[in-house]
Amino acid sequence: MIASEFVLGLVLRLFLQAHVSADVGFRFALYIDDYMVLQREPAGAVIWGYGTPRATVTVTLCRDQEPIMKKGTRVKADSNTWTVVLDPMKPGGPYEVMAQQTLGRINFTLRVHDVLFGDVWLCSGQSNMKMTVSQVFNATGELLNTTAYQSVRILSVSSTQAQQELEDLAKVDLRWSKPTSKNLGHGNFTYMSAVCWLFGRFLYDTLRYPVGLLSSSWSGTPIEAWSSRRSLEACGVPRSGSMPSNLKIGPSAHSVLWNAMIHPLRNMTLKGVIWYQGESNVNFNRDLYNCTFPLLIDDWRQTFHDGSQGQTERLFPFGFVQLSSYLSGEALHDGLPQIRWHQTADFGYVPNQRMPNTFMAAAVDLCDRNSPFGSIHPRDKQTVAYRLHLGARALAYGEKLIFQGPLPQKIELLADTGLLNLTYSQPIKVQRHDDKIFEVSCCSDHQCKWLPAPMDTFSTQTLALNITSCHDTPAALRYAWTPWPCEYKQCPLYHLTSTLPAPPFIAPITNPSPGYHSRTAK
């Protein structure tokens, strides 16, 4: 009797040990959770996690408790990870995703509930992306406006950094959730991004199917922290910044946020990314931003494409906010206009040859002198998100609509008139005359100075500037080339039928002989 009890106890202990060892680390990736949105067709959503080496994992997609799809794989011995790619699914839901690990006769099951298929967008950047809905204009009304948007699901990644690339997220501040006034308005610069939420809400109004939004941002961070080491090396970024920055209050070491807050998401199938960053590079490696930003976009695209086994498009849509105005010291006077220009890889517009399939929301006219969070944090995030969503509709969804304000297509020096004639590629609305927002570079004996070029006459697509103050050679023209070019929504030029402002530009007048036509950005 004693012997049989001993044998029974031994068998039980061995069973429990096998049970524990088989269960060690069997889990989904941290961001795979209840209420999540998975990318819809034509892409396949990627489901992955950790398990026991050599175990079999079967992932089942269920609708109303009925299995509609099964995918099997094995746990890799070198990484303890498993991955499956679901067949493309139409938008909708809810579904249940079940993962079962089998090792011998031992089975373990994981489940996530209320899963939707739709479009998944990643939102990243620094504090202007980090601002919450409780910080924007009409916050009370915005926080009450969630009932109709329960299919717009949100997740917020915790602020963490790492010296090496992490496989999975360390933690999240907000797990996948339906939007509520509490999780959208959870304090200042915490939880869910207002720009991200409002962008997704505008998209949902158009798409009418689920949208998933992931916020992964950190205030006061330069682009170097969000870039992989390989992209920084390709741009020749020095290990230390070119100057100290009073706008760089978050982590600035190379790649530490890429490692911890972006790389762990690489296996996810995405529709696209929106980005709001650049203030911390106004005087920190500013002259390299026209390299670091385009390469960040390209590197993120390649990484997500590879990580999702080709399910995320190689050139997925990437949108960004061209920096707004803020009151700055004299040391930053020229830095902010230059960063705005470098955000476009020095083209003034997107998409362009270096930044394909990108879209931009100009925010130069959304200044906020009285923001309680400082003028660097304007509160009108609704207009920012609206302009971003126009770009997404054009680039990501193929709608034929205007998403960027007018830029001159041709610059012509009119002989003996003292006028510089600008021809635009789209109709313009001259909202008000301004004698200082245009400036001409007047050069003599290799010395140049910028002089005001007052607005003169205009028509539907042309604008004449008075440059009689330039008694020497006009060499270049620039527009809105100051930290604060105009007051709130009061810039001189907009698109004729919309509220899209003309973005800043600088263009050479390469041959100022009479009748010469100088080409600039379209």
Side-chain angles (χ1 to χ4, degrees):
M1 184 67 177
I2 295 176
S4 62
E5 289 179 353
F6 174 78
V7 172
L8 181 61
L10 180 61
V11 171
L12 182 59
R13 283 197 300 274
L14 290 173
F15 175 79
L16 290 174
Q17 288 173 0
H19 183 285
V20 172
S21 64
D23 192 33
V24 168
F26 181 52
R27 64 175 179 86
F28 288 117
L30 191 63
Y31 62 78
I32 296 177
D33 209 342
D34 297 340
Y35 305 113
M36 76 179 303
V37 176
L38 295 173
Q39 182 58 40
R40 66 171 179 94
E41 62 181 3
V46 176
I47 304 293
W48 74 280
Y50 293 87
T52 304
R54 298 181 299 279
T56 298
V57 175
T58 302
V59 174
T60 306
L61 184 68
C62 299
R63 181 78 183 262
D64 297 326
Q65 299 183 336
E66 291 293 327
I68 62 173
M69 185 193 309
K70 284 191 177 184
K71 296 288 180 176
T73 188
R74 285 188 177 274
V75 180
K76 297 177 182 179
D78 57 341
S79 63
N80 294 352
T81 63
W82 53 268
T83 305
V84 300
V85 179
L86 300 181
D87 296 335
M89 293 288 296
K90 293 183 181 298
Y95 296 89
E96 179 183 74
V97 177
M98 179 176 66
Q100 185 176 63
Q101 176 179 276
T102 303
L103 186 62
R105 296 183 178 179
I106 310 300
N107 296 327
F108 296 98
T109 302
L110 306 170
R111 288 183 173 87
V112 291
H113 306 280
D114 199 350
V115 174
L116 304 178
F117 284 85
D119 283 340
V120 181
W121 287 83
L122 171 62
C123 312
S124 188
Q126 55 181 112
S127 56
N128 271 303
M129 184 63 86
K130 191 76 173 175
M131 286 177 72
T132 63
V133 178
S134 62
Q135 296 176 268
V136 305
F137 285 146
N138 190 32
T140 301
E142 295 288 0
L143 291 173
L144 293 175
N145 187 20
T146 61
T147 304
Y149 298 99
Q150 295 301 290
S151 291
V152 181
R153 306 291 175 81
I154 56 178
L155 177 147
S156 182
V157 175
S158 295
S159 297
T160 53
Q161 52 183 313
Q163 294 302 314
Q164 301 297 327
E165 293 178 342
L166 302 185
E167 285 293 314
D168 196 8
L169 294 172
K171 56 182 178 177
V172 296
D173 283 341
L174 177 67
R175 296 167 62 177
W176 279 109
S177 304
K178 297 179 181 180
T180 67
S181 59
K182 184 176 180 181
N183 59 30
L184 288 176
H186 187 78
N188 296 340
F189 304 104
T190 58
Y191 274 30
M192 194 59 202
S193 158
V195 169
C196 190
W197 160 250
L198 295 166
F199 169 79
R201 197 185 70 187
F202 281 126
L203 275 186
Y204 180 81
D205 287 339
T206 297
L207 301 173
R208 308 308 300 179
Y209 60 71
V211 176
L213 303 170
L214 295 94
S215 176
S216 185
S217 304
W218 194 323
S219 300
T221 49
I223 198 170
E224 289 76 7
W226 296 101
S227 304
S228 70
R229 287 188 172 91
R230 60 184 167 270
S231 64
L232 294 176
E233 289 170 359
C235 288
V237 179
R239 269 293 170 184
S240 58
S242 55
M243 296 163 67
S245 175
N246 59 349
L247 302 177
K248 184 169 63 65
I249 58 175
S252 61
H254 285 194
S255 309
V256 292
L257 304 185
W258 157 264
N259 292 338
M261 299 176 66
I262 301 299
H263 186 266
L265 301 171
R266 72 201 179 285
N267 295 345
M268 179 180 290
T269 309
L270 295 180
K271 179 65 176 180
V273 169
I274 58 171
W275 170 262
Y276 196 157
Q277 190 276 334
E279 296 91 344
S280 289
N281 285 98
V282 167
N283 61 0
F284 183 76
N285 291 333
R286 177 182 64 230
D287 294 339
L288 292 174
Y289 204 88
N290 59 359
C291 179
T292 52
F293 185 39
L295 274 191
L296 175 141
I297 296 173
D298 192 58
D299 188 61
W300 283 27
R301 284 171 166 166
Q302 187 67 60
T303 299
F304 278 90
H305 178 73
D306 294 343
S308 66
Q309 301 185 30
Q311 298 303 309
T312 298
E313 291 183 8
R314 173 61 184 84
L315 292 177
F316 62 73
F318 195 108
F320 66 94
V321 181
Q322 191 178 43
L323 296 187
S324 185
S325 302
Y326 59 88
L327 302 171
S328 59
E330 192 63 31
L332 305 182
H333 184 75
D334 200 42
L336 186 54
Q338 287 185 25
I339 279 289
R340 292 189 189 117
W341 187 244
H342 291 337
Q343 285 182 292
T344 68
D346 299 351
F347 282 82
Y349 63 95
V350 292
N352 58 54
Q353 294 94 310
R354 293 187 59 199
M355 302 173 73
N357 211 31
T358 59
F359 56 95
M360 176 178 79
V364 70
D365 65 332
L366 301 181
C367 50
D368 189 353
R369 289 183 183 273
N370 301 315
S371 172
F373 316 106
S375 66
I376 196 171
H377 298 122
R379 289 165 289 175
D380 184 358
K381 294 299 190 277
Q382 291 91 338
T383 302
V384 169
Y386 178 78
R387 291 173 181 174
L388 276 173
H389 113 282
L390 290 179
R393 286 169 60 185
L395 270 293
Y397 300 100
E399 291 191 50
K400 294 186 181 301
L401 50 79
I402 300 294
F403 66 92
Q404 185 171 261
L407 277 164
Q409 185 180 31
K410 181 173 65 176
I411 297 177
E412 180 183 11
L413 185 63
L414 301 181
D416 303 322
T417 64
L419 295 177
L420 199 62
N421 197 62
L422 278 59
T423 302
Y424 287 83
S425 58
Q426 56 179 266
I428 61 172
K429 174 185 178 182
V430 178
Q431 183 163 278
R432 65 181 181 85
H433 277 74
D434 191 302
D435 291 341
K436 297 181 179 179
I437 201 164
F438 282 100
E439 296 173 292
V440 62
S441 177
C442 198
C443 300
S444 175
D445 298 328
H446 305 291
Q447 291 186 340
C448 301
K449 57 183 177 180
W450 289 100
L451 299 175
M455 298 167 61
D456 199 283
T457 59
F458 63 90
S459 65
T460 305
Q461 289 189 238
T462 63
L463 174 65
L465 305 176
N466 187 325
I467 58 168
T468 54
S469 61
C470 179
H471 301 295
D472 298 304
T473 303
L477 180 71
R478 66 188 187 184
Y479 172 78
W481 207 262
T482 66
W484 195 285
C486 59
E487 294 304 315
Y488 178 72
K489 291 189 176 180
Q490 291 298 313
C491 279
L493 290 177
Y494 287 81
H495 180 263
L496 180 63
T497 59
S498 72
T499 58
L500 297 173
F505 75 85
I506 185 168
I509 304 172
T510 54
N511 186 348
S513 60
Y516 174 75
H517 291 59
S518 172
R519 301 287 294 184
T520 118
K522 288 186 180 180

